Structures are given as C-alpha cells and as structure tokens.
Amino acid sequence: LSPWLLESSLNMIYAWRGVGKTHVALEIAIAAASGGEFLKWKASTISEVAYIDGEMPPYLLNKRLKNIIKNKPLYPKKLSILGITPDEPVMPDLGTIEGQKIIDELIPPNTKLIIIDNLSCLVRSGGKENDAESWKLVSQWSLKKRAEGVSVIFIHHSGKDGNQRGTSKREDILDTVISLKHPHDYEASQGARFEIHFEKCR
C-alpha cells in the first residue's frame, strides 16, 4: 500500500483495546488483496494476503469482513483467513519453532503479506512480554519472511503508558511502526474514530 507498506517490510500497528486495530488491519488486508485502497493508501497491484487471527470467534470475524467488503468496489480475491475454529480453539504459538512450522504450512503459496492479529494471542512463550528474549524467535521468523520477499504486519496492544506493550527490542527490526489513538475530544458514541501516528517509518 503506497506510500508506507512496502514489499519485504516488517511493520507494527498498535493501540489500546477497542480503538480500532483489527478494523484497520482488515481494511489493509482487503485493500492489498483486491488492488484497492484504504484511507489515502493505495495498492498498485493485487497481492496474496494471509490474515492470521488468534483471538476472534470465526462468526464475528466473518461478520466484520462482510460489513467491510460490502462497501468496497473490488472484491479481495487473494485474501486467506487463518484463525481459530471450534475444533482448533487455539492457534499455534508463533513464539516456538514448532508453532512457526505449523503456521508456515497453513500460509498459501505466493503470499506477499502476512498480518498477525495479535501478538498477545499468537506469541505465548519465550519469556515475559517485556523480556527481549521473548521476541528472539519471532524476530528470526520475521527476518526470514522479509528475506523471502514477504511483508509482515504485527497487530499489538499498547500499555498503560501509551507505548507498545512489552520489550522495545521489537521495534529494532521494524520498518514502520504505527500507533492508533483516540483524539482528545473523542466520545464513545462516535465509534471507530482515531488518529494515525507514524512513530517509525524508514
């Protein structure tokens, strides 16, 4: 998505719960998979996108997708949704070698963009969240994907201080870090209203 989401890039979008992380992530996935646009960001081509969700019940995720897609002029032909099911209520742990292998097998061939929603649900091992060691295996997996020409977007939560939750070591390898924040005059009745802050953009 021009101008910020590039090929072979590693990215993070984070926000406090309920601000709109998943909505933005789904919009990005649909735009990239349809050759469409979201906000002022445009896709120059149609890309294979794998959206990996570790939290939302399937019926709710499908409902959100349908509500977004019905208002789009282009259908996301190249979008694959990988998530929990009644038979598999927990997604593999991306923080382990075994979990990474399972996830890699689920990702369709020729995928150009992987969206991980969210880190708390999909990275459950490797140490405490604020420990740099907890990011080590995920970092290695991410760099491998980038070397293969694949882009990754991590969806994450912010802490009480407003920064991304956990170790700041995560940001070292990232090309772009975006935070979503409610404006100072936000009211809950306004729904998904937020500002987009680019905190890092190579």
Side-chain angles (χ1 to χ4, degrees):
L1 289 183
S2 177
W4 69 271
L5 180 55
L6 308 178
E7 292 184 9
S8 304
S9 66
L10 303 178
N11 315 274
M12 178 187 287
I13 298 174
Y14 75 90
W16 186 250
R17 56 181 177 266
V19 173
K21 300 184 297 295
T22 294
H23 186 88
V24 169
L26 288 172
E27 288 273 12
I28 289 171
I30 291 168
S34 64
E37 59 184 76
F38 172 51
L39 303 178
K40 295 181 179 180
W41 309 330
K42 297 182 180 181
S44 59
T45 187
I46 298 174
S47 300
E48 190 79 47
V49 179
Y51 192 101
I52 303 177
D53 180 83
E55 179 178 29
M56 201 173 297
Y59 76 91
L60 184 55
L61 184 59
N62 287 331
K63 182 179 179 181
R64 286 198 181 191
L65 269 172
K66 289 178 180 178
N67 285 338
I68 296 173
I69 291 172
K70 71 181 181 181
N71 296 314
K72 300 294 183 183
L74 301 170
Y75 188 81
K77 300 177 181 178
K78 297 287 188 177
L79 177 59
S80 300
I81 303 293
L82 311 173
I84 60 176
T85 67
D87 296 328
E88 297 289 343
V90 178
M91 286 291 286
D93 187 349
L94 195 59
T96 66
I97 296 295
E98 295 78 9
Q100 291 174 7
K101 288 180 179 178
I102 296 171
I103 287 176
D104 284 344
E105 290 174 358
L106 294 173
I107 295 171
N110 303 316
T111 292
K112 299 300 292 181
L113 173 62
I114 301 170
I115 298 179
I116 303 293
D117 188 5
N118 56 65
L119 278 178
S120 297
C121 294
L122 290 165
V123 180
R124 301 183 296 275
S125 59
K128 295 181 179 179
E129 191 174 47
N130 61 354
D131 184 352
E133 194 66 21
S134 67
W135 180 243
K136 187 175 180 179
L137 285 179
V138 184
S139 174
Q140 292 172 353
W141 178 84
S142 305
L143 291 170
K144 181 181 177 183
K145 293 301 174 191
R146 183 164 70 182
E148 294 171 351
V150 180
S151 299
V152 181
I153 300 177
F154 295 102
I155 307 302
H156 192 34
H157 294 85
S158 63
K160 293 181 179 179
D161 61 358
N163 296 316
Q164 64 101 358
R165 200 169 69 194
T167 176
S168 60
K169 185 78 173 176
R170 290 193 187 102
E171 298 186 17
D172 293 350
I173 65 168
L174 300 177
D175 298 290
T176 301
V177 178
I178 294 174
S179 66
L180 310 179
K181 298 178 181 179
H182 285 314
H184 66 88
D185 59 349
Y186 173 77
E187 296 180 6
S189 60
Q190 296 172 337
R193 178 176 175 236
F194 47 79
E195 300 169 346
I196 296 172
H197 295 256
F198 284 84
E199 299 189 350
K200 180 180 182 181
C201 197
R202 286 178 178 164

